[in-house]
Each structure stands twice: as structure tokens, then as C-alpha cells.
């Protein structure tokens, strides 16, 4: 609880970004030896600048590249029963420096189209200049995405809703519905029950009432902006956005240093245009 309280105080004093920069410097020094060894053993692997890697994940080259490839395989294995990965359009929403999407062409083949979007212009510029075979584009913290309706077969967003405001949980769910094909699949992860231990007493009180908890006072979308999602709350958000919940995997504490996020596998059953009509009908009775 002490760690949570310190974090809360730093946010209130608007010092969270500064504290995170110090943490980056510490982690950079801590991982210097193993990162140097990784580069020595893998000279052909193109790596993003350290801070771009840290900002979206960790500053650990092996976890970025080797674990990124394994995580990409896990996403594909989880969704394969629901998605036909043949001549499909696949989007990594909030791709960061391509930790996951860079591996999709080698795992699935070149018969698909692969896309990545992120709100960080510097990250997207690096991806466009260094990761071939994938179409990258910038999006805003708020919708829309630069794609037409019904464009993608499969979309995934790993730990993206976890850094967005309560309002954007709804707005982005509806936007992802818009660009997903009818019957398409969406995979998202959120901070669920397993993360309650990281909340302050006041936050736990709100969370147990079924309210979403957002740690603001930092830039929305940044790694320091943290959002925690009661599963019942998110079920309602997704269902109101035109999705059927195909599979829900609750997160858990895996070991002393890692807690897995809740995983949602969602199928588009209603288009956003129909949802608008339904909501208007309900509003006017």
C-alpha cells in the first residue's frame, strides 16, 4: 500500500512523468549488460531506440524481441479457432515500436495484410523506416482511426485500454467496431481483479462498486496513465458497442513480479450504424 500511496502523491504533484524518467534511467543501467550481450549475439535484429521501447513495454531487448515473438504466437494460437488467417487484414491497435506485429508475417505468411497504428508520432516514424511488410499509420488518443468501415478481419490491442480515460473505453470500443468486418474478431486486454492489490484504499472502494478507476494527472495514453476495469463494467461497454463476448480469460498473479491482464475475445455482431439507431430508439422509447 505504501507504493500505491507514493504513486498517488506523485500524480497529485504532477511529478509522475519526472519519476518515470528517473525509473527509465535506472532500468537502462540495470539492463545494460544483458542488452549489450543481446546485441552482440543478435547483430541483425533491428531494435527501436531505448526510450521508445521503454515507453511502450520495458527496456529489455530479449523481452522485446524474443518474448515479443512468443507473445505474437500466443495471440495467433488463441484466436485461430475464431479467425481465418487467409487473405485477412490484421491490425495491431496501439502497436508501439512493433514488438508484436513485426513477427506476424513470418508466423502467418504474406497472404495477409498487416497494419499497425499508434498515437506516438515518433514511434510510428521509426516503425515506418525500420519494419518492412507492415502498413503503419498514426492515430490520435481519441478516435477515429484512418480506415474505412468494415476494413479488418482481426484487431488486437494489448494493454491499450489500460492507459485510456473512462470515456475512451466506450469511444474506442465503438470505433474498433466500426473498422472491424461483420463477424470479425477483436482481442483486448484490461486490468481486472488481479490488479486490485495495486490500488489505494480509495481506488479499491470505487472498484468494488463496479466503477472504472483511472489514474490521471498525466498525459492520457502515456504508460503512467493507468486504468483499472471491473469485468462487469467492461462486459457492458463491449456489449453496448455491438460485440459478443466469445471468450474471457481473467488475469492472475503469475509470479512475484508479473500479473497477467484480463483477456477479452470479442466478435462483432452489430455494426456501429445499427447501434446508433438502436440507442436512439431506446432513448426516445
Amino acid at each position: 500500500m505504501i507504493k500505491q500511496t507514493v504513486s498517488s502523491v506523485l500524480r497529485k504533484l504532477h511529478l509522475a512523468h519526472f519519476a518515470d524518467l528517473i525509473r527509465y534511467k535506472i532500468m537502462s543501467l540495470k539492463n545494460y549488460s544483458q542488452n549489450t550481450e543481446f546485441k552482440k549475439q543478435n547483430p541483425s535484429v533491428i531494435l527501436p531506440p531505448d526510450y521508445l521501447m521503454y515507453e511502450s513495454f520495458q527496456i529489455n531487448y530479449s523481452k522485446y524481441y524474443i518474448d515479443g515473438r512468443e507473445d505474437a504466437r500466443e495471440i495467433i494460437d488463441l484466436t485461430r479457432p475464431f479467425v481465418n488467417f487467409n487473405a485477412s487484414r490484421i491490425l495491431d491497435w496501439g502497436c508501439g515500436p512493433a514488438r508484436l506485429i513485426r513477427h506476424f508475417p513470418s508466423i502467418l505468411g504474406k497472404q495477409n495484410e498487416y497494419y499497425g497504428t499508434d498515437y506516438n508520432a515518433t514511434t510510428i516514424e521509426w516503425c515506418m523506416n525500420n519494419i518492412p511488410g507492415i502498413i503503419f499509420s498514426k492515430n490520435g488518443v481519441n478516435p477515429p482511426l484512418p480506415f474505412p468501415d468494415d476494413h479488418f478481419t482481426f484487431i488486437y490491442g494489448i494493454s491499450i485500454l489500460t492507459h485510456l480515460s473512462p470515456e475512451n473505453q466506450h469511444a474506442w470500443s465503438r470505433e474498433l467496431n466500426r473498422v472491424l468486418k461483420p463477424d470479425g474478431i477483436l482481442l483486448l486486454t484490461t486490468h481486472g481483479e488481479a490488479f486490485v492489490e495495486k490500488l489505494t484504499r480509495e481506488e479499491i472502494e470505487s472498484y468494488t462498486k463496479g466503477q472504472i478507476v483511472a489514474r490521471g494527472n498525466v498525459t492520457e495514453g502515456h504508460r503512467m496513465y493507468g486504468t483499472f476495469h471491473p469485468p462487469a463494467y467492461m462486459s457492458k461497454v463491449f456489449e453496448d458497442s455491438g460485440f459478443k463476448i466469445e471468450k474471457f480469460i481473467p488475469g492472475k498473479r503469475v509470479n512475484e513480479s508479473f500479473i497477467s491482464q484480463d483477456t477479452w475475445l470479442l466478435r462483432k455482431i452489430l455494426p456501429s450504424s445499427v447501434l446508433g439507431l438502436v440507442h436512439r430508439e431506446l432513448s426516445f422509447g
Side-chain angles (χ1 to χ4, degrees), residues 55-74:
E55 192 174 27
S56 67
F57 185 60
Q58 303 174 29
I59 184 169
N60 183 304
Y61 296 170
S62 179
K63 288 185 177 180
Y64 166 82
Y65 189 78
I66 304 299
D67 290 7
R69 183 173 57 204
E70 294 308 308
D71 289 346
R73 285 199 179 104
E74 286 185 15

Side-chain angles (χ1 to χ4, degrees), residues 113-137:
E113 292 180 16
Y114 302 98
Y115 296 74
T117 68
D118 200 271
Y119 85 113
N120 188 317
T122 304
T123 294
I124 288 299
E125 182 180 4
W126 181 86
C127 288
M128 293 174 71
N129 292 331
N130 291 279
I131 306 297
I134 298 163
I135 302 166
F136 290 101
S137 57

Side-chain angles (χ1 to χ4, degrees), residues 11 16-17 160-167 169 191 213-228:
R11 290 171 190 277
H17 282 299
I160 308 303
L161 292 177
T162 53
H163 304 291
L164 294 176
S165 64
E167 295 77 17
Q169 310 296 313
H191 286 147
V213 173
R215 290 177 171 173
N217 292 326
V218 293
T219 304
E220 184 176 357
H222 189 269
R223 54 177 280 121
M224 291 298 289
Y225 191 110
T227 310
F228 301 84

Side-chain angles (χ1 to χ4, degrees), residues 31-272:
N31 293 339
Y32 177 80
S33 295
Q34 58 182 317
N35 285 345
T36 301
E37 184 64 24
F38 179 90
K39 289 179 71 174
K40 182 179 178 181
Q41 294 181 4
N42 302 275
S44 64
V45 174
I46 299 172
L47 295 167
D50 283 359
Y51 190 72
L52 290 186
M53 185 186 297
Y54 170 79
E55 192 174 27
S56 67
F57 185 60
Q58 303 174 29
I59 184 169
N60 183 304
Y61 296 170
S62 179
K63 288 185 177 180
Y64 166 82
Y65 189 78
I66 304 299
D67 290 7
R69 183 173 57 204
E70 294 308 308
D71 289 346
R73 285 199 179 104
E74 286 185 15
I75 290 170
I76 291 166
D77 289 344
L78 178 62
T79 54
R80 198 182 289 276
F82 305 93
V83 179
N84 178 15
F85 289 117
N86 185 22
S88 297
R89 290 194 186 103
I90 298 168
L91 171 65
D92 184 336
W93 172 58
C95 64
R99 187 179 81 92
L100 300 171
I101 194 65
R102 68 184 294 166
H103 299 291
F104 270 64
S106 63
I107 297 172
L108 286 175
K110 297 181 179 180
Q111 74 276 14
N112 303 300
E113 292 180 16
Y114 302 98
Y115 296 74
T117 68
D118 200 271
Y119 85 113
N120 188 317
T122 304
T123 294
I124 288 299
E125 182 180 4
W126 181 86
C127 288
M128 293 174 71
N129 292 331
N130 291 279
I131 306 297
I134 298 163
I135 302 166
F136 290 101
S137 57
K138 182 181 178 298
N139 58 259
V141 172
N142 302 312
L145 289 168
F147 306 110
D149 295 356
D150 306 331
H151 194 64
F152 294 103
T153 311
F154 172 52
I155 301 172
Y156 65 90
I158 306 302
S159 196
I160 308 303
L161 292 177
T162 53
H163 304 291
L164 294 176
S165 64
E167 295 77 17
N168 264 331
Q169 310 296 313
H170 299 267
W172 274 112
S173 294
R174 291 192 294 269
E175 175 64 4
L176 294 171
N177 173 290
R178 181 186 71 79
V179 299
L180 191 62
K181 289 183 177 181
D183 213 38
I185 293 296
L186 171 64
L187 186 153
L188 297 171
T189 67
T190 57
H191 286 147
E193 301 287 346
F195 283 83
V196 170
E197 65 180 71
K198 291 185 171 292
L199 302 180
T200 64
R201 289 187 178 88
E202 293 79 7
E203 290 170 341
I204 291 173
E205 184 177 346
S206 296
Y207 187 94
T208 54
K209 291 178 180 177
Q211 300 170 5
I212 198 167
V213 173
R215 290 177 171 173
N217 292 326
V218 293
T219 304
E220 184 176 357
H222 189 269
R223 54 177 280 121
M224 291 298 289
Y225 191 110
T227 310
F228 301 84
H229 312 80
Y233 180 102
M234 294 310 296
S235 293
K236 184 74 163 54
V237 169
F238 296 141
E239 289 167 0
D240 286 350
S241 300
F243 292 103
K244 171 189 174 185
I245 300 170
E246 289 283 3
K247 194 168 188 177
F248 171 68
I249 305 171
K252 61 182 179 181
R253 176 164 284 287
V254 177
N255 54 47
E256 187 176 338
S257 60
F258 179 69
I259 302 174
S260 63
Q261 297 181 2
D262 289 354
T263 300
W264 302 83
L265 204 61
L266 310 166
R267 184 182 299 278
K268 176 176 174 176
I269 58 172
L270 284 175
S272 54

